[in-house]
Amino acid sequence: MNDLSRMYQYLPLNYERREIRILKVQRRLYDVGYDDPVICTISHISLREVPRPEYETVSYVWGTATKTPTSLVLNGLEIDVPAGTDQALRCVRLHTGARERNLWIDAICINQRDVKEREQQVSIMGDVYRLSTGNLIYLGEDDGTIARAGLDFKNLLQEVRQSTDGLRSFLNTLFDKDNHDWYETNSALSTRIDSEAMINFYSRPWFGRLWVIQEIILAPRSTFICGHSTLEASNVLRVSVWLNYKASVLPYGLRECQGRHNAADIAYIAAVTGSFDRSTTRRIDFRYLQAISTRFSASEPRDHIYGIFNLLQSSVPGSIDSFDLIAPNYSKSVAQVYRDATVFSLVQSQTLSVWRNIYHRGDNMLDLQGNSSWAPQWHRTFDFRSDVYRLREVFDAALGSEISCPVLTGPLPLITEQLPVRGIRVARVIETTKDMKLDVLENSESLRQIFRSIDDIIIHQEQKKSSRASDSVLAKVLTAGVTSSGLDELRDYLEQNRATPPIDPGDSTPDLQSSASRTRAQQYYRDFHHWANNRRFFGASDGRTGIASSPVREGDLVAVLYGAPWPVILRPSGGVCQFVCQCYVDGIMYGEAILEHRAEEMVDELFVLV
């Protein structure tokens, strides 16, 4: 295959003038077919120019490079480009009509072999999209279902309009501002939908690509194009929110479709940043943005930070210019980029809640391969088969205190592998159950064995405390504080029934034909199945009990660190500690340990994390 950089000699961009390259795509002539050469010229423009030349951006998935030369002509030369780039330009030409079109498309307009140019262009990509006249989103080739999906979107949008006063109350009706999430309902859709067409639409690779988040959010308007069809992107996002609102009544395939979830996540960012109404510009918290971005893919691990760089505002809380920490710099190692991004979040939020994005898996967590235990592996996609669901944000173990970390004050520090943080030592883990994985939780006999192990730990804990913990306390621990009733009914049900799985955890509708006891067992099992998954029940040296993710083991420390909304598990070794996980511990989730510490006038401890 020919190489683009050899066939076309890039002229350097003037960074001071904030120059970019623009493709001019020749208008489509009546006798030009889809497979005929796409003819373009390339030139430089400055984003500082007044008036600024108009151009559109193209959002698409690169795909794999073509193995044979494609028919794309640039400045008179036939060149090869990634398959997705070639297909996107051909589709754009299909919609061009009798006019020439000025485009910015990353694979051609950025010299991909020049690392410094790539860094500089990535750093201004927010302005590239923001200052365009619009963004064309190429979804791929038409598989014959796009028109059917388009009709569904049209009908569903009408349903949304009718339910939100013509979209005027869209956000107030559907967005929970206090909890930063979309509302959900059990009411049925009024519109009959074509599940196959909608699943095919949301399953297109574009909905899984990380870079598309900033592309659709920052552009003044975006349009999906696929074959001869077009769809207004803002309307697709609104319908995606509506489907999320009605998720419990959707057909299973559509309800579980990851692309649909991702579209709702993009809509969430649009809501928080003000992109839906364009009347205000608000900064999104890095913690929420990064948590969402882990559900999208990027071939370059560092792009899990750089791909959302332009969505963040440059002014952040704190006394240091932390924004420089996450500026694109591909000479940094992946581990350094992830550490710097974590420090950026710590400075911006002044809390340790970014640690909710850390998923250490299994007993091999000690082998971090050069990464820091206190820095999330931002490229790692959540996997319910091995990861735990994040604890809720209602807890306040450190009484709302800000992080206490010496290196985060004063001038911009040289961040190393170590992060010193202050807090208090609560107890030591002395025994645990085995992992409560899905194959355990969904097998009646395995569940009975787990409960027998829990009973043994409870008996040992009673020897350290003057009173027995109530069954309601144990029920809360096993559901991370969600519910205190139903555990007894579940255990009774398990003793009387040998079915596997004991109860369908995906069934959210109580069986009206069953007894009240079975219904309570079913409801508790659903919560227990969710929160206990990939966690272990443990007993601590002070007589308390809790649950923590699977890496927890005997000898680990239970601590409350200032700035952390929940207790944490730390693993001491040679004067330093590794961060293991967040945890739920009975009796210290709302600051009780801090209050006791203060009452006894005890001294804080400095934990050095590696």
Side-chain angles (χ1 to χ4, degrees):
M1 187 184 77
N2 292 324
D3 190 293
L4 176 59
S5 63
R6 294 175 186 166
M7 298 188 67
Y8 171 78
Q9 185 66 44
Y10 282 101
L11 298 177
L13 295 171
N14 187 321
Y15 297 160
E16 291 185 1
R17 297 184 68 241
R18 295 172 73 84
E19 281 189 345
I20 62 174
R21 298 183 183 91
I22 293 297
L23 280 183
K24 179 170 287 189
V25 180
Q26 187 181 81
R27 67 182 181 274
R28 184 188 177 205
L29 303 177
Y30 291 108
D31 58 347
V32 172
Y34 180 87
D35 294 326
D36 288 326
V38 177
I39 300 175
C40 310
T41 58
I42 194 166
S43 60
H44 294 194
I45 69 166
S46 169
L47 296 180
R48 299 187 189 279
E49 287 183 40
V50 179
R52 187 182 312 105
E54 293 186 351
Y55 63 92
E56 297 167 288
T57 54
V58 182
S59 177
Y60 66 109
V61 176
W62 277 31
T64 57
T66 53
K67 295 183 179 181
T68 55
T70 62
S71 299
L72 195 156
V73 178
L74 179 67
N75 286 9
L77 297 174
E78 187 173 284
I79 63 169
D80 294 338
V81 293
T85 308
D86 174 61
Q87 292 166 359
L89 288 175
R90 291 179 184 279
C91 189
V92 169
R93 184 180 63 179
L94 194 65
H95 292 267
T96 295
R99 63 186 178 92
E100 290 185 323
R101 211 153 191 166
N102 293 331
L103 302 174
W104 184 90
I105 186 165
D106 57 358
I108 299 176
C109 294
I110 299 176
N111 183 356
Q112 300 296 328
R113 289 183 174 273
D114 187 331
V115 174
K116 287 299 181 183
E117 178 179 309
R118 187 153 51 102
E119 290 174 359
Q120 189 272 341
Q121 292 285 282
V122 168
S123 70
I124 67 169
M125 205 172 287
D127 284 341
V128 173
Y129 281 89
R130 193 180 295 112
L131 298 176
S132 69
T133 57
N135 180 37
L136 302 171
I137 301 173
Y138 172 65
L139 288 180
E141 299 301 296
D142 186 357
D143 61 358
T145 65
I146 191 69
R148 288 153 50 194
L151 181 60
D152 276 356
F153 278 109
K154 178 182 178 181
N155 293 334
L156 285 165
L157 181 64
Q158 182 61 29
E159 181 176 330
V160 176
R161 290 181 181 276
Q162 292 172 352
S163 301
T164 59
D165 190 22
L167 300 180
R168 283 183 288 272
S169 64
F170 177 78
L171 291 180
N172 290 335
T173 301
L174 301 176
F175 187 58
D176 183 351
K177 295 180 180 179
D178 293 332
N179 294 308
H180 289 266
D181 205 352
W182 298 112
Y183 289 119
E184 294 185 18
T185 183
N186 291 324
S187 61
L189 286 168
S190 302
T191 303
R192 190 171 183 176
I193 58 176
D194 184 334
S195 295
E196 180 192 23
M198 295 296 280
I199 291 171
N200 286 352
F201 180 86
Y202 283 120
S203 296
R204 290 177 177 272
W206 185 89
F207 288 99
R209 177 175 171 262
L210 176 66
W211 286 95
V212 307
I213 302 175
Q214 70 169 12
E215 294 166 1
I216 192 172
I217 295 294
L218 296 178
R221 61 171 295 180
S222 293
T223 304
F224 288 108
I225 59 174
C226 182
H228 290 274
S229 299
T230 62
L231 289 168
E232 192 65 34
S234 60
N235 291 335
V236 169
L237 293 185
R238 289 186 174 96
V239 168
S240 300
V241 171
W242 189 250
L243 292 176
N244 195 70
Y245 183 57
K246 304 277 189 174
S248 64
V249 298
L250 294 179
Y252 178 82
L254 183 56
R255 183 173 72 241
E256 298 300 318
C257 180
Q258 187 59 51
R260 185 193 66 78
H261 287 284
N262 288 358
D265 284 337
I266 294 172
Y268 164 83
I269 297 172
V272 173
T273 58
S275 298
F276 267 131
D277 51 26
R278 300 290 176 186
S279 60
T280 57
T281 300
R282 298 180 289 275
R283 187 180 67 232
I284 185 171
D285 192 303
F286 177 78
R287 296 167 294 169
Y288 295 110
L289 181 60
Q290 189 53 55
I292 289 173
S293 72
T294 58
R295 296 193 278 272
F296 293 76
S297 63
S299 57
E300 162 60 67
R302 286 165 287 204
D303 285 344
H304 279 273
I305 303 302
Y306 301 152
I308 60 175
F309 173 79
N310 287 287
L311 285 171
L312 300 164
Q313 299 293 322
S314 58
S315 57
V316 297
S319 58
I320 63 175
D321 187 12
S322 58
F323 202 65
D324 289 341
L325 287 168
I326 58 170
N329 182 349
Y330 288 96
S331 65
K332 288 183 180 180
S333 68
V334 173
Q336 184 179 356
V337 171
Y338 288 178
R339 280 194 294 269
D340 289 348
T342 304
V343 171
F344 174 86
S345 180
L346 299 180
V347 173
Q348 187 194 40
S349 68
Q350 291 298 299
T351 75
L352 293 168
S353 57
V354 68
W355 284 352
R356 67 198 299 268
N357 297 310
I358 295 179
Y359 301 105
H360 294 313
R361 295 171 176 169
D363 290 326
N364 64 347
M365 65 153 287
L366 287 170
D367 182 17
L368 292 169
Q369 300 179 342
N371 297 303
S372 299
S373 69
W374 51 269
Q377 300 303 297
W378 297 112
H379 65 285
R380 180 176 287 172
T381 302
F382 175 82
D383 184 349
F384 71 91
R385 293 166 297 186
S386 55
D387 296 323
V388 299
Y389 291 98
R390 301 183 182 100
L391 294 180
R392 295 175 302 150
E393 297 190 37
V394 299
F395 303 118
D396 190 15
L399 291 178
S401 61
E402 292 186 348
I403 184 175
S404 178
C405 179
V407 301
L408 297 185
T409 59
L412 183 66
L414 177 62
I415 303 300
T416 64
E417 289 83 356
Q418 297 187 344
L419 184 75
V421 290
R422 289 190 177 89
I424 66 171
R425 183 189 302 242
V426 177
R428 187 178 292 273
V429 176
I430 58 173
E431 56 184 330
T432 78
T433 63
K434 69 177 184 179
D435 296 354
M436 293 185 283
K437 294 185 175 296
L438 289 179
D439 60 346
V440 172
L441 297 175
E442 296 179 359
N443 181 284
S444 294
E445 179 56 35
S446 297
L447 259 185
R448 283 189 288 271
Q449 292 176 10
I450 281 289
F451 283 130
R452 286 193 287 269
S453 298
I454 290 172
D455 288 341
D456 290 341
I457 293 176
I458 293 294
I459 292 172
H460 297 158
Q461 295 304 92
E462 288 174 9
Q463 298 171 1
K464 302 179 181 65
K465 302 176 73 173
S466 58
S467 61
R468 172 182 170 84
S470 66
D471 291 337
S472 63
V473 169
L474 179 58
K476 286 184 67 176
V477 170
L478 292 176
T479 58
V482 170
T483 182
S484 59
S485 63
L487 174 59
D488 288 342
E489 288 83 352
L490 175 59
R491 297 194 67 169
D492 289 343
Y493 180 86
L494 289 174
E495 291 303 320
Q496 299 168 15
N497 296 272
R498 302 289 171 173
T500 298
I503 304 172
D504 181 6
D507 183 3
S508 60
T509 304
D511 184 356
L512 299 179
Q513 303 300 318
S514 69
S515 66
S517 176
R518 186 186 188 281
T519 297
R520 286 193 295 271
Q522 180 180 10
Q523 292 171 336
Y524 184 82
Y525 178 68
R526 188 169 61 249
D527 291 331
F528 171 63
H529 183 278
H530 180 88
W531 293 105
N533 183 31
N534 295 312
R535 286 187 163 99
R536 294 179 181 178
F537 180 84
F538 68 86
S541 57
D542 63 351
R544 291 187 173 96
T545 57
I547 57 172
S549 62
S550 294
V552 67
R553 69 186 186 194
E554 291 83 356
D556 288 343
L557 297 179
V558 179
V560 174
L561 303 181
Y562 295 116
W566 11 250
V568 300
I569 300 292
L570 304 178
R571 182 162 300 164
S573 177
V576 297
C577 295
Q578 284 185 317
F579 174 82
V580 179
C581 61
Q582 53 182 305
C583 62
Y584 181 94
V585 181
D586 169 44
I588 63 172
M589 299 305 295
Y590 295 97
E592 297 91 337
I594 294 289
L595 291 174
E596 182 179 335
H597 177 79
R598 292 174 180 172
E600 297 180 5
E601 298 182 347
M602 300 175 69
V603 178
D604 295 341
E605 188 169 343
L606 186 67
F607 299 92
V608 179
L609 305 184
V610 294

